[in-house]
Amino acid sequence: MDESPQSFDRVLSSMCTPPHPVAREAAERFLATNPGDPASFPSVARLEERAVDTLGEVAGLDDPAGYVASGGTEANLQAVRIAREHGRNDANVVIPESAHFSFRKAADLLGVELRVAPTDADGRANLDAVAELVDADTAGVVAVAGTTEYGRVDPVPALADLAADAGALLHVDAAWGGFELPFTDHAWNFADAAVDTMTVDPHKLGRAAIPAGGLLAREESLLESLTVDTPYLESRTQVTLPGTRSGAGVASAAAVLDELWPDGYRDQRRRIRDTAGWLADELDRRGYDVVDPELSIVAFDVDTRVFEALRDEGWRVARTGDGELRIVCGPHVTRDVLGEFLDDLDRRAADVGTGHRANPGAGSR
Ligand SMILES: *Cc1c(COP(=O)(O)O)cnc(C)c1O
């Protein structure tokens, strides 16, 4: 094998970050276990229960039902499946246009009609627009707590009320935001609103090894709507989408949640928040249009030639649908790294002649 894994040094637009050392160690130890067969692999099954309990604490839910999924995509798909089981035959699900593309896969696979509501100017779900799309066949409404592009948090309690009035379930997608939001004033979780299901991914800001997503449900009966019989296993039923699953992902999630919840994640939130605020200020001083970072994602307008030049220099950066360069300030994105990035940005902007100020003032780092 002549490839080695690339370093995270210049990865600035990923929702993922290197796993925490305890997550890495647990992933290696439990590599050869399968939580999909708990009768044969009971220890990793116990770790999964622990992980779900702690994810419940993260999301403000006592006695949570749920499991460690392969990622946010599977968790969102399963949530749509739960909503469909709960609804009528011609079920539709209403999502804000800021929702992750995984809901399109879910709707496609499950034969559910997806209704997409425009967001407001700030990128949050627009209540009137959602209300207009909800009808008697609506089985689920989705709220995003930490959108993938801008880190926006939808008005979860109001969307929950809307869903309840329509007899639909409310799903919150906190795949990325779930480990930052507990330390903010946002109303986003099971304790804040009548939330039915939630996605919260340990393999993003939770610092578990991939694959470790999280699906939570307010009560066991919601999860049970996913049950299928499993004739060849000692355990008689299964709610997960995959059969064989990664014990590495499950064990790493359990280990890192034990290690970091809540104090370690609180410190992490403080650090990434400070970094995002600092970066937004630095860009603002240079004259860039910066989208105000609500959580730790900073998006700013950038000339396409500058963007391409930065990619050519090895910066792993990506753009939003509207073309802004988007920096996800995960724990590995330090001020030192961003200082180097800003130097390159200044140089490339000067080459192209975008008219942005370079290196303004002293003590920027
Ligand atoms: C990343 C993300 C997902 C998808 O999760 P995967 O683990 O990549 O499958 C879903 N929703 C949101 C908000 C995300 O940020």
Side-chain angles (χ1 to χ4, degrees), residues 15 71-74 76 100 102 144 146 148 173 175-176 201 203-204:
M15 310 303 270
T73 298
E74 181 190 340
N76 284 342
H100 189 263
S102 48
V144 189
T148 312
D173 184 0
W176 175 76
D201 279 2
H203 72 199
K204 289 187 174 171

Side-chain angles (χ1 to χ4, degrees), residues 176-202:
W176 175 76
F179 287 92
E180 195 171 349
L181 286 163
F183 314 107
T184 68
D185 294 333
H186 289 285
W188 67 286
N189 70 17
F190 288 92
D192 297 320
V195 175
D196 294 294
T197 54
M198 183 183 288
T199 294
V200 47
D201 279 2

Side-chain angles (χ1 to χ4, degrees), residues 5 41-42 68 93 108 119 125 145 147 159 168 185 212 223 243 246 258 269 294 302 304 336 343 362:
F41 302 95
V68 177
V93 168
D108 230 31
T119 51
T147 60
L159 288 166
D185 294 333
L223 209 62
S246 165
D258 254 9
R269 148 78 185 172
E294 188 161 19
V302 67
T304 296
D336 282 347
D343 288 346

Side-chain angles (χ1 to χ4, degrees), residues 292-313:
D292 184 36
E294 188 161 19
L295 298 176
S296 303
I297 295 180
V298 179
F300 64 102
D301 70 320
V302 67
D303 185 285
T304 296
R305 289 162 296 174
V306 173
F307 176 81
E308 296 300 341
L310 290 167
R311 293 258 338 159
D312 288 346
E313 286 193 74

Side-chain angles (χ1 to χ4, degrees), residues 237-286:
T237 62
Q238 203 170 71
V239 298
T240 56
L241 204 54
T244 302
R245 292 190 287 140
S246 165
V250 168
S252 74
V256 72
L257 283 161
D258 254 9
E259 178 79 11
L260 295 183
W261 174 259
D263 296 342
Y265 290 125
R266 184 183 294 110
D267 290 347
Q268 168 173 292
R269 148 78 185 172
R270 198 175 302 128
R271 282 196 308 274
I272 63 180
R273 169 77 261 171
D274 285 353
T275 304
W278 171 83
L279 175 63
D281 287 347
E282 285 294 320
L283 291 165
D284 189 54
R285 286 169 44 178
R286 286 164 167 80

